[in-house]
Amino acid sequence: MTTPHLDYAVCLRLEGRHVLLVGGGTIAEGRALAVLASGARLRVIAPEATPTLRRLAEGGQLEWLPRPYQAGDVRGHHLVLAAADDAAVGPRVAAEARALGIWVNTADEPALCDFTLPSVGRRGPITIAVSTAGQAPALASHLREVLTAQVARHHVWRARLSGWLREQLPRGRERQRLLKDVATGGIGARLARGERKAAWALLREALKPWKTSGETP
């Protein structure tokens, strides 16, 4: 028996990219909201659309073409999502997208997907994504809820602080040690206990070498 290959997990940066969504129902709405949150330029093609999708179209947050899918609609897009209520539409969209080398995901049709969509939870800059390779979406959703509930406010603080330090400090072992301290060391432990003043005191002390050299604002 051949062991199936695992999915390669990535987080796509879609800001400014053109994304096509075929479908206007409830499932399509969820995909649309996630795509818009990423900053992508979204076009929706569907004869009908949910009130939310209509409102977003009226507000100029997405483009809605109120008609059925037509051959050639996938051209010019970086990513294609198919979530049409008509089961015959998904295979057509997937076939055309793949012929043009465009990555496509078709709702409830794992065999037609170039990538799967994990169940996602967010806390600030922290993203929890659980995938079962399209085999058990309900289980993925349950695990996402369990794991996301464990992300506390101090985790968000640590993530944002680490991001700021990465922007301000030059690369090197010293920066790496400081980032580890924020993530799992003394600074992080104090943030976890709510001892923010003590954490900032440790951070100021750790930043002194950079301040002395003039490398830190």
Side-chain angles (χ1 to χ4, degrees):
M1 181 176 179
T2 303
T3 302
H5 290 137
L6 300 175
D7 287 346
Y8 183 67
V10 298
C11 292
L12 296 179
R13 293 185 173 176
L14 295 176
E15 185 174 0
R17 301 275 184 169
H18 293 272
V19 176
L20 174 65
L21 171 60
V22 180
T26 303
I27 294 176
E29 179 184 307
R31 281 161 171 57
L33 294 176
V35 168
L36 291 175
S38 74
R41 301 174 65 179
L42 178 63
R43 171 180 289 171
V44 175
I45 296 178
E48 299 292 336
T50 66
T52 296
L53 291 175
R54 288 173 178 267
R55 185 172 64 253
L56 291 170
E58 291 169 358
Q61 293 169 269
L62 59 83
E63 178 188 11
W64 174 38
L65 302 182
R67 61 167 174 78
Y69 172 79
Q70 298 174 1
D73 281 340
V74 300
R75 292 185 182 276
H77 294 89
H78 297 97
L79 202 69
V80 174
L81 304 172
D85 292 332
D86 185 349
V89 174
R92 290 174 53 208
V93 176
E96 184 176 1
R98 285 178 166 177
L100 295 174
I102 304 171
W103 283 17
V104 61
N105 173 276
T106 305
D108 293 328
E109 294 283 356
L112 300 179
C113 296
D114 294 316
F115 61 96
T116 58
L117 299 176
S119 183
V120 174
R122 300 186 191 279
R123 292 287 187 274
I126 300 174
T127 298
I128 303 295
V130 180
S131 172
T132 58
Q135 297 182 43
L139 177 59
S141 180
H142 168 68
L143 290 174
R144 180 258 304 163
E145 291 178 358
V146 172
L147 295 173
T148 303
Q150 297 182 41
V151 180
R153 182 178 300 179
H154 64 83
H155 292 118
V156 176
W157 291 342
R158 282 188 265 180
R160 288 176 172 159
L161 177 57
S162 294
W164 183 83
L165 291 171
R166 288 169 62 88
E167 291 178 354
Q168 301 299 321
L169 302 178
R171 295 182 181 182
R173 292 182 179 178
E174 290 302 319
R175 188 184 79 166
Q176 193 61 31
R177 276 195 285 267
L178 178 56
L179 292 174
K180 186 174 182 180
D181 195 14
V182 170
T184 60
I187 295 176
R190 283 162 176 78
L191 287 173
R193 294 195 297 266
E195 301 170 1
R196 299 183 69 177
K197 289 184 178 180
W200 301 145
L202 285 178
L203 179 61
R204 285 193 294 270
E205 186 66 25
L207 289 173
K208 282 184 177 179
W210 285 285
K211 291 181 178 179
T212 302
S213 64
E215 293 178 328
T216 301

